[in-house]
């Protein structure tokens, strides 16, 4: 189906994005139209509704299609549009989690993971049915599409999928208790956001006690709207906090390069350089210093990559105090006051507080 739709769109003059094979763009003068295809589900948006209607008629001549009208629900994501922007949440998706997992009678939690929690593969007793934990983590992983506030916690627990135990399930239930109190939360994409991109990067050095690998976290905004985030364990052991921070900076730089190309495909111009906020003075110094020091030779691939993007004008690393680092929530569990403050700044909010 996707190949057939692709062929039809290409024959209609659309161009396939080089950054995302599911995105097709068409530009004519000041009018642009974008088509996003996922299997047999299609989203069409344009600056001109006449173009949308015309395209739907042409697609209907090739396929049997159902026009569901304005976008309200897509792949488990609820969409609320207004003149102020778009609010995305997965309230129904959360409620669809089996009743025995949602802990209906349990009290809510103010944050998804205890700040002192350090789980080991041997903690707790073996689960009689490990598939329950795996299914739950799978559901939570998809929920991070609109809930960056649980991204770190879910990523952390996904490390125990092979042999989950009771302590790991208890931590997963803590996330559910947090979700119970924030069911209607999601992200708001403002229609008045500036086209400027801002990146935040952080790492937790040697935070995983078994392998001593570090965690990379980054967060990207378009104006004040969140558009990309990640929490991921680094593939190798970092020998210093500067190395861990620099690898996180390299990962963010790669994401920013991809976003820049994606926006270019969409004919959206982004002011350069893109400010990258990092709380490591050492990582910023390595990026700006053209001379390799002995202690940085083992990360020279990342060094060359980041420095190349800095010299080309894509990024501009700047120091940001740890207290203001929005990516902090993607690298470690935080206490209620700090967690609430950072999540509030990151654009996660209740649907009842989103502008209408």
């Amino acid at each position: 189906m996707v190949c057939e739709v692709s062929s039809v769109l290409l024959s209609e003059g659309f161009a396939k994005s080089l950054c995302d094979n599911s995105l097709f763009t068409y530009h004519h003068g000041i009018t642009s139209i974008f088509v996003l295809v996922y299997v047999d589900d299609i989203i069409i948006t344009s600056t001109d509704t006449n173009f949308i209607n015309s395209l739907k008629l042409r697609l209907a001549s090739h396929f049997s299609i159902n026009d569901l009208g304005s976008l309200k629900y897509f792949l488990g994501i609820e969409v609320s549009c207004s003149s102020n922007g778009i609010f995305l949440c997965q309230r129904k998706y959360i409620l669809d989690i089996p009743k025995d997992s949602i802990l209906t009678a349990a009290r809510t939690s103010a944050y998804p993971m205890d700040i002192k929690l350090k789980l080991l593969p041997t903690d707790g007793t073996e689960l009689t049915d490990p598939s329950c934990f795996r299914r739950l983590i799978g559901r939570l992983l998809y929920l991070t599409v609109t809930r960056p506030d649980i991204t770190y916690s879910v990523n952390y627990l996904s490390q125990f999928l092979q042999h989950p135990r009771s302590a790991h399930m208890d931590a997963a239930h803590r996330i559910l208790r947090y979700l119970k109190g924030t069911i209607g939360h999601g992200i708001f994409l403002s229609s008045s956001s500036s086209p400027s991109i801002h990146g935040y990067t952080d790492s937790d050095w040697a935070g995983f006690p078994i392998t001593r690998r570090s965690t990379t976290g980054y967060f990207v905004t378009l104006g004040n709207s969140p558009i990309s985030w990640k929490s991921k364990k680094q593939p190798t052991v970092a020998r210093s906090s500067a190395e861990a921070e620099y690898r996180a900076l390299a990962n963010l730089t790669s994401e920013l390069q991809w976003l820049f190309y994606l926006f270019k495909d969409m004919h959206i111009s982004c002011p350069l350089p893109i400010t990258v906020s990092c709380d490591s003075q050492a990582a910023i110094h390595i990026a700006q210093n053209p001379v390799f020091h002995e202690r940085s030779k083992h990360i020279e691939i990342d060094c060359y990559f980041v420095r190349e993007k800095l010299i080309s004008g894509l990024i501009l690393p700047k120091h940001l105090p740890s207290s203001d680092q929005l990516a902090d929530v993607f690298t470690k569990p935080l206490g209620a006051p700090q967690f609430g403050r950072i999540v509030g700044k990151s654009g996660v909010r209740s649907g009842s507080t989103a502008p209408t």
Side-chain angles (χ1 to χ4, degrees):
M1 177 65 177
V2 175
C3 293
E4 294 178 5
V5 173
S6 174
S7 299
V8 171
L9 290 173
L10 292 176
S11 68
E12 292 286 346
F14 280 79
K16 181 185 290 188
S17 171
L18 297 177
C19 301
D20 188 338
N21 286 332
S22 62
L23 176 64
F24 298 83
T25 63
Y26 178 85
H27 303 281
H28 179 74
I30 61 173
T31 301
S32 298
I33 185 166
F34 307 102
V35 178
L36 189 66
V37 181
Y38 182 83
V39 190
D40 57 355
D41 293 308
I42 302 174
I43 296 177
I44 305 173
T45 186
S46 174
T47 53
D48 189 335
T49 55
N50 291 327
F51 270 65
I52 296 178
N53 294 329
S54 176
L55 178 60
K56 288 192 293 188
L57 289 174
R58 295 200 296 273
L59 289 176
S61 67
H62 293 277
F63 311 102
S64 175
I65 64 174
N66 293 322
D67 185 358
L68 302 180
S70 299
L71 181 63
K72 295 182 179 179
Y73 194 76
F74 186 75
L75 302 179
I77 301 173
E78 299 168 51
V79 182
S80 300
C81 301
S82 71
S83 58
N84 294 309
I86 301 174
F87 179 71
L88 306 175
C89 75
Q90 291 170 278
R91 182 179 183 276
K92 184 179 182 299
Y93 182 85
I94 296 174
L95 293 174
D96 284 342
I97 295 176
K99 297 297 182 183
D100 59 340
S101 295
I102 202 64
L103 304 176
T104 305
R107 70 183 187 279
T108 60
S109 174
Y111 44 97
M113 181 169 283
D114 189 280
I115 190 172
K116 297 180 180 180
L117 184 66
K118 292 291 183 181
L119 290 173
L120 299 175
T122 55
D123 285 346
T125 58
E126 292 186 10
L127 297 177
T128 56
D129 183 11
S131 63
C132 291
F133 178 82
R134 294 167 186 151
R135 283 195 301 270
L136 177 56
I137 296 302
R139 292 172 182 269
L140 294 176
L141 280 170
Y142 187 62
L143 187 57
T144 61
V145 171
T146 62
R147 295 296 298 269
D149 49 334
I150 66 169
T151 298
Y152 169 76
S153 303
V154 176
N155 173 71
Y156 184 82
L157 293 181
S158 67
Q159 300 173 88
F160 304 103
L161 288 176
Q162 187 171 6
H163 300 293
R165 300 172 74 92
S166 58
H168 311 141
M169 181 62 88
D170 290 342
H173 284 166
R174 173 66 174 265
I175 298 177
L176 291 176
R177 291 197 287 112
Y178 169 72
L179 291 174
K180 180 184 176 183
T182 58
I183 288 179
H185 281 53
I187 56 174
F188 181 70
L189 308 177
S190 174
S191 59
S192 59
S193 286
S194 69
S196 60
I197 300 176
H198 194 135
Y200 300 84
T201 177
D202 192 25
S203 75
D204 180 34
W205 180 44
F208 193 60
I210 298 299
T211 61
R212 284 305 174 190
R213 292 187 184 181
S214 307
T215 300
T216 286
Y218 65 70
F219 182 66
V220 183
T221 61
L222 180 65
N224 295 322
S225 303
I227 58 172
S228 180
W229 51 86
K230 176 171 282 192
S231 174
K232 186 177 182 179
K233 187 167 64 174
Q234 295 184 0
T236 58
V237 178
R239 295 168 58 188
S240 66
S241 59
E243 179 183 346
E245 294 279 2
Y246 203 88
R247 292 199 186 283
L249 176 59
N251 286 336
L252 172 60
T253 302
S254 178
E255 178 72 2
L256 293 175
Q257 180 71 83
W258 178 80
L259 286 171
F260 177 76
Y261 287 145
L262 180 64
F263 284 10
K264 188 176 181 180
D265 283 347
M266 301 172 69
H267 288 200
I268 299 175
S269 59
C270 301
L272 294 179
I274 299 171
T275 300
V276 174
S277 295
C278 176
D279 57 12
S280 171
Q281 294 276 22
I284 295 174
H285 177 70
I286 293 173
Q288 295 174 337
N289 191 345
V291 179
F292 283 110
H293 296 285
E294 185 67 30
R295 63 190 178 93
S296 66
K297 284 183 179 179
H298 55 291
I299 57 170
E300 64 179 13
I301 298 297
D302 285 332
C303 287
Y304 278 120
F305 174 69
V306 173
R307 189 170 299 129
E308 179 185 83
K309 301 308 175 183
L310 189 153
I311 293 174
S312 69
L314 177 71
I315 64 169
L316 178 62
K318 288 188 176 181
H319 182 258
L320 183 73
S322 297
S323 58
D324 298 323
Q325 178 57 267
L326 298 187
D328 206 29
V329 76
F330 299 98
T331 60
K332 60 184 75 69
L334 303 175
Q338 188 179 6
F339 177 83
R341 182 174 59 82
I342 292 180
V343 168
K345 287 184 176 181
S346 68
V348 177
R349 61 184 71 182
S350 168
S352 61
T353 62
T356 58

